[in-house]
Amino acid sequence: MQLVVARIGRAHGIKGEVTVEVRTDEPELRLGPGAVLATEPAERGPLAIETGRVHSGRLLLRFENVRDRTAAEALRNTLLIAEVDPAELPEDPEEFYDHQLIDLDVVLADGTEIGRITEISHLPSQDLFIVERPDGSEVMIPFVEEIVAEIDLEEQRAVVTPPPGLIDESEAVVASARDADGDGADGDRADEDGDEGAADEAERTGTPEKGEA
């Protein structure tokens, strides 16, 4: 099975290094020196990794026979593809390969259907599930323990416990309104003081108050 493990970014320096957007949980294994990767577009590869290092939080790679900035820049936006045994699993039972997660049904704890995972987006800070809803729209769900409660590969589903507003934006509006109502008299007084302050500032500077044209 072929899996995308990285995308080449811009050239770095003048000696052929490139930045890469990592799309694997095991960069040491998939993107280590000596690895030979297929590419998309196919005519740009295969590429053999000669060296790798981390610089300012970004992985930098140098490929064999890529010796200058011009050659490195020509590889920009190339996808790097590794051959992976479909039966191979991560050593950590709490980790998953992208191909294990794609097409899982996403449901709430009560069984309510959210949609289906169509893509995994690997960001520097966290991974995101790109979930297609039944109506064709998409929602992004952070793949973090606080939100993704369970990955059940046998049942082919991911159980999520999202905060208000993540799945349904109207829930965030309702929560905000409830918080505002709970401020009571002190909250009203603060608003009044704020309005008076805004009016004084407007009079002093000649700028319109908030809400005016």
Side-chain angles (χ1 to χ4, degrees):
M1 173 183 291
Q2 290 190 324
L3 298 176
V4 174
V5 293
R7 182 181 68 85
I8 297 177
R10 65 182 63 187
H12 179 84
I14 61 174
K15 297 183 178 180
E17 283 187 312
V18 296
T19 63
V20 294
E21 173 191 317
V22 177
R23 298 188 180 181
T24 172
D25 291 331
E26 299 177 313
E28 300 86 356
L29 174 64
R30 309 296 179 196
L31 300 171
V36 179
L37 302 167
T39 62
E40 176 61 43
E43 60 270 17
R44 297 182 182 177
L47 293 173
I49 298 175
E50 186 173 278
T51 64
R53 65 188 180 97
V54 176
H55 175 73
S56 298
R58 298 294 300 272
L59 178 61
L60 303 180
L61 297 180
R62 179 185 288 117
F63 301 103
E64 293 181 6
N65 302 319
V66 177
R67 292 288 179 250
D68 57 39
R69 187 178 184 87
T70 299
E73 192 63 35
L75 296 174
R76 192 168 185 173
N77 292 324
T78 300
L79 297 178
L80 300 177
I81 302 170
E83 191 70 37
V84 178
D85 184 345
E88 182 180 339
L89 299 176
E91 293 183 1
D92 187 340
E94 297 300 317
E95 293 183 355
F96 304 88
Y97 291 142
D98 285 7
H99 70 271
Q100 295 176 281
L101 301 172
I102 297 297
D103 287 333
L104 291 187
D105 292 325
V106 179
V107 300
L108 299 180
D110 63 4
T112 301
E113 179 185 2
I114 302 300
R116 177 179 62 87
I117 299 174
T118 58
E119 182 183 347
I120 312 297
S121 179
H122 299 282
L123 303 180
S125 58
Q126 64 185 12
D127 295 337
L128 292 174
F129 289 164
I130 309 300
V131 179
E132 182 179 325
R133 303 188 194 202
D135 64 4
S137 63
E138 289 185 340
V139 61
M140 293 182 290
I141 299 178
F143 187 15
V144 295
E145 184 177 357
E146 295 79 8
I147 297 176
V148 181
E150 180 185 5
I151 298 293
D152 189 334
L153 295 181
E154 290 188 4
E155 296 293 331
Q156 286 290 286
R157 69 176 188 172
V159 180
V160 298
T161 55
L166 180 63
I167 303 298
D168 186 348
E169 293 182 359
S170 66
E171 293 180 355
V173 174
V174 171
S176 298
R178 186 182 302 115
D179 291 342
D181 291 342
D183 287 340
D186 291 341
D188 292 339
R189 187 176 301 114
D191 290 341
E192 290 171 3
D193 293 343
D195 290 341
E196 291 175 1
D200 293 341
E201 179 66 10
E203 182 176 353
R204 183 177 63 82
T205 62
T207 56
E209 291 185 57
K210 182 169 56 178
E212 294 182 346

